[in-house]
Amino acid sequence: MKILIENHIVKIANIEIGGQNPIVAQSMTNTNTLDTQASVNQIIELVNAGSKIVRLTCRSIKEAENLKNIKELLIKNEIRIPLVADTHFSPAVAEAAAVYADKVRINPGNYIDKRRQKSKFTEEEHKEELIKIRGKLGRLIEICEENSTAVRIGVNHGSLSERMLFRYGNTARGMYESAMEFIKIFRELNFHNLVISLKASYVPTMMEANKLLHDEMHKKGFYYPIHLGVTEAGDGEEARVKSAAGIGSLLAEGIGDTIRVSLTENPIEEIPFADKLIEIYGKRQTLPMPYYELNRTSKPQIILKYNSHDEEELLINSSVDFTRLNESGLYKKLKIITNGEPKNELSDIILQALGIKYSKAEFIACPSCGRTLFNIIDELKKVKQKTSHLKGLKIAVMGCIVNGIGEMADADYGYVGAGAGKVNLYKQKQIISKNINESLAVDELIKIIKENGDWKLETE
Ligand code: SF4
């Protein structure tokens, strides 16, 4: 590995991330960014819960400009917290937001690189696209420099550009290359106030991509802070296991500078869990491997033993320990014993989070944001309650059609917010029912699953 010659510490308003700075937890509002008071109220709740950075969705220039009012009201309330504008794909919105936000998140998968239903790209077309991207980033960089605004290059596995999909497929390598293409342009334009994130809902992909990014940056002799997160993790224990396995295991390897635990719950629930991951694993060094026993049968089983009465700590430790011990993917069986009692359900959730053994339907659900116009938290609970027994199916519950369809990835069925209180239902990426009232949508989803022959009774 090359000696690190450039270790960039990124300043986001009053905090610094990277280097030996403490690893910080962050979250995102799910209010309408045009609703100044509601957004400020939620930001204050997040700050009180311990969030060190707060992100808001900015769908339009109007929303980007309203960050000014949000900031002013926060200052009146004596709250100083770095605000991040999540602008995803629109250069015009990113440029407007960069004036007021402390950091702007752009997604290389769709920033300029529009979907054209193209599956092949010549070398020439690839270069042309890069020239276009470079031109647009130049303008954003000027504004960021004028306003001391940082940038997050935020790649999502579910929204890689068609160019990247053509070259690398929907892979961890594709995620890394997508970020590196943008990093190179920022570096050529001498802008270094950069944070990088590579997020996926499938934990092994998220981990592989981040390890690649971490190692390759070191080999190239530079390093920008890494923001860790498992996207669309859903809610409850399943979401916490995915986040612990993905984020906690990387922190335990000394990777990561800021983290977001995405939950389809009230955003303030994200912070204590994120803080716990940081407290246990955020030591900025590779931690010793955990103790384990091995049951050497034809399918070797890892046995993890704990003496803990803290259920959350047990969930975190066992998720991280098994993920680290099973990096090779060799072990297909896990037994967790705490205070002499087996924890079979937790073992099953961990095995499913790592794609090793599926014992229930798999759910992916976005944490929601200002684009979500239906009650995704309750609806996800209802969908899970009615369909959890459909082992082998993957069901996505997403907040909006703008990003939700791309990011529901390879789900078999999709339940996606379409407008105020309205939902669209999908069989894979094909729309089946449009604008269904949210109170009727779970039943309609079940009807579609039945019509496609994927329904089973719970007792089957
Ligand atoms: S998919 Fe969910 S989190 Fe992502 S932009 Fe849409 S509503 Fe927001």
Side-chain angles (χ1 to χ4, degrees):
M1 205 174 272
K2 224 173 165 180
I3 294 172
L4 198 57
I5 47 170
E6 286 179 38
N7 192 4
H8 294 282
I9 291 173
V10 170
K11 192 161 167 46
I12 309 164
N14 55 345
I15 72 159
E16 288 187 338
I17 58 172
Q20 285 306 311
N21 285 298
I23 295 165
V24 294
Q26 57 175 291
S27 183
M28 184 168 184
T29 58
N30 58 9
T31 52
N32 179 346
T33 308
L34 286 177
D35 187 336
T36 307
Q37 189 63 57
S39 299
V40 166
N41 290 347
Q42 197 171 59
I43 292 168
I44 293 174
E45 282 179 29
L46 285 167
V47 171
N48 290 339
S51 185
K52 299 290 187 292
I53 299 173
V54 175
R55 181 159 45 116
L56 300 99
T57 191
C58 289
R59 293 170 288 186
S60 62
I61 292 181
K62 260 188 165 182
E63 287 189 353
E65 289 175 347
N66 200 46
L67 292 175
K68 180 173 185 277
N69 298 324
I70 291 172
K71 267 193 150 177
E72 283 172 3
L73 191 52
L74 283 169
I75 290 168
K76 268 194 198 151
N77 283 277
E78 297 182 356
I79 301 284
R80 291 193 187 273
I81 177 97
L83 297 185
V84 184
D86 201 322
T87 62
H88 264 280
F89 51 82
S90 164
V93 176
E95 288 160 20
V99 176
Y100 307 107
D102 302 299
K103 182 167 71 169
V104 171
R105 182 264 169 135
I106 57 172
N107 179 352
N110 51 25
Y111 194 78
I112 302 153
D113 235 341
K114 296 283 170 266
R115 300 263 149 189
R116 287 170 292 182
Q117 309 301 328
K118 248 170 92 75
S119 55
K120 284 192 176 154
F121 288 81
T122 63
E123 198 54 37
E124 216 37 53
E125 287 171 323
H126 190 82
K127 279 187 194 148
E128 275 169 24
E129 203 65 35
L130 276 179
I131 292 169
K132 238 193 278 172
I133 292 171
R134 194 187 154 102
K136 286 285 180 186
L137 286 180
R139 179 72 197 120
L140 176 64
I141 286 172
E142 275 172 31
I143 300 170
C144 287
E145 274 171 347
E146 275 164 30
N147 295 280
S148 305
T149 308
V151 173
R152 168 154 68 97
I153 299 174
V155 174
N156 267 11
H157 184 222
S159 56
L160 292 184
S161 70
E162 287 167 342
R163 256 179 340 106
M164 284 295 150
L165 290 173
F166 171 62
R167 283 206 161 181
Y168 304 101
N170 204 11
T171 58
R173 163 67 63 177
M175 294 168 70
Y176 158 75
E177 295 288 353
S178 181
M180 193 47 79
E181 195 176 78
F182 270 52
I183 294 172
K184 275 187 193 148
I185 299 174
F186 276 102
R187 286 178 60 77
E188 282 162 16
L189 297 172
N190 201 24
F191 184 89
H192 302 283
N193 215 19
L194 281 182
V195 178
I196 320 296
S197 67
L198 304 180
K199 297 193 184 184
S201 58
Y202 185 51
V203 174
T205 304
M206 172 269 186
M207 291 184 65
E208 186 188 341
N210 279 286
K211 283 184 181 175
L212 190 60
L213 173 68
H214 178 266
D215 293 352
E216 288 297 318
M217 284 200 290
H218 278 82
K219 276 189 208 158
K220 290 176 192 298
F222 59 78
Y223 180 85
Y224 296 95
I226 296 179
H227 163 136
L228 296 177
V230 175
T231 49
E232 288 98 32
D235 66 353
E237 281 198 338
E238 290 88 350
R240 286 166 174 80
V241 164
K242 285 181 188 173
S243 295
I247 300 170
S249 304
L250 288 168
L251 289 178
E253 302 296 325
I255 299 174
D257 300 278
T258 174
I259 70 170
R260 188 214 175 176
V261 169
S262 297
L263 298 178
T264 314
E265 298 178 16
N266 184 329
I268 60 166
E269 303 294 341
E270 297 177 356
I271 303 300
F273 192 80
D275 278 342
K276 193 95 180 170
L277 290 179
I278 294 170
E279 181 194 319
I280 305 175
Y281 298 106
K283 312 287 183 209
R284 294 204 166 282
Q285 59 183 352
T286 303
L287 301 179
M289 290 305 265
Y291 170 78
Y292 69 104
E293 292 173 16
L294 197 57
N295 185 357
R296 293 176 195 277
T297 57
S298 59
K299 280 192 183 165
Q301 180 185 47
I302 284 195
I303 302 170
L304 296 171
K305 291 184 174 168
Y306 303 93
N307 287 316
S308 171
H309 293 285
D310 181 332
E311 293 290 323
E312 188 174 81
E313 208 163 283
L314 175 70
L315 178 151
I316 291 175
N317 288 332
S318 53
S319 303
V320 174
D321 290 349
F322 181 70
T323 306
R324 294 187 74 204
L325 291 166
N326 198 28
E327 203 194 337
S328 62
L330 188 70
Y331 303 109
K332 308 293 178 207
K333 290 172 83 183
L334 165 67
K335 186 167 197 161
I336 299 168
I337 299 173
T338 181
N339 308 313
E341 292 290 321
K343 290 278 181 181
N344 296 338
E345 204 184 327
L346 180 56
S347 302
D348 284 345
I349 295 174
I350 295 172
L351 291 171
Q352 180 152 332
L354 296 174
I356 295 170
K357 182 186 134 203
Y358 289 85
S359 28
K360 288 183 193 167
E362 173 68 2
F363 296 95
I364 56 171
C366 78
S368 83
C369 69
R371 292 179 198 268
T372 312
L373 301 174
F374 72 104
N375 188 342
I376 190 170
I377 296 174
D378 288 353
E379 290 304 301
L380 172 62
K381 282 201 178 75
K382 280 192 225 159
V383 171
K384 283 177 82 171
Q385 198 185 15
K386 298 269 173 121
T387 62
S388 276
H389 64 289
L390 300 175
K391 183 172 128 182
L393 280 192
K394 191 186 246 189
I395 299 174
V397 178
M398 308 298 281
C400 75
I401 45 175
V402 184
N403 296 319
I405 300 162
E407 299 195 359
M408 68 188 190
D410 56 347
D412 299 296
Y413 294 93
Y415 182 108
V416 184
K422 301 284 181 195
V423 172
N424 288 353
L425 299 169
Y426 293 77
K427 164 89 176 103
Q428 286 148 349
K429 295 241 155 96
Q430 191 194 342
I431 188 159
I432 306 291
S433 296
K434 256 186 171 174
N435 288 323
I436 308 293
N437 196 305
E438 66 177 294
S439 62
L440 306 173
V442 179
D443 288 338
E444 182 67 16
L445 175 69
I446 292 170
K447 193 173 135 223
I448 294 170
I449 296 174
K450 284 182 178 168
E451 282 167 1
N452 284 279
D454 286 329
W455 184 259
K456 287 179 216 138
L457 293 175
E458 285 206 45
T459 47
E460 278 178 55

